[in-house]
Amino acid sequence: MNELYENIARLCRNAGLSVSALCESAGVSPGILSDLKTGRKKSINTETLAKLAKALDVSTDRLLGIADPLEDEFIAYYGQVSRQLTESDRRELMALVRLKAEMKKGHDQK
């Protein structure tokens, strides 16, 4: 199976979407991803890549597998649960993430 297709399928799973639902949302022919999955195509054009990334709310680097998969999982999970959180909860969570980043930055500089 094509690595790009595997990345797209993983991001769909993380977002709670089927690949066909992604195609519909992105305005992309499902045949394109089917061809990737079966190996009939090795890549897709940049316009299609950008449409898929936008529909998944990720960068094209994430689709290409250049970005950290754990970061993808974190972002996808946040996207799923953020709708259930209050604005205050989201602000607190953001403050925790910033605090952790600052602590890591300080530790790395030592």
Side-chain angles (χ1 to χ4, degrees):
M1 190 178 305
N2 181 290
E3 184 179 348
L4 176 56
Y5 180 85
E6 289 177 8
N7 293 339
I8 292 168
R10 177 179 46 78
L11 290 166
C12 282
R13 283 190 304 276
N14 289 348
L17 288 173
S18 67
V19 172
S20 59
L22 168 65
C23 289
E24 185 175 330
S25 174
V28 170
S29 167
I32 293 172
L33 294 187
S34 177
D35 287 348
L36 270 180
K37 182 178 183 179
T38 61
R40 285 189 296 268
K41 281 188 175 227
K42 303 261 187 251
S43 64
I44 57 178
N45 68 44
T46 56
E47 181 181 344
T48 301
L49 188 70
K51 286 179 179 181
L52 293 169
K54 183 176 182 180
L56 284 166
D57 197 25
V58 298
S59 69
T60 54
D61 282 355
R62 289 199 201 305
L63 284 184
L64 294 170
I66 297 169
D68 180 1
L70 185 57
E71 185 178 348
D72 289 340
E73 186 177 345
F74 177 82
I75 291 168
Y77 182 73
Y78 178 78
Q80 289 174 357
V81 300
S82 69
R83 295 174 198 99
Q84 301 165 13
L85 301 173
T86 66
E87 182 176 344
S88 177
D89 291 337
R90 289 192 302 271
R91 289 182 192 280
E92 286 179 35
L93 185 55
M94 191 63 187
L96 287 171
V97 170
R98 285 186 178 123
L99 177 62
K100 180 64 178 173
E102 288 300 315
M103 289 170 60
K104 176 78 174 141
K105 183 178 173 184
H107 177 68
D108 289 348
Q109 290 177 350
K110 291 181 181 182

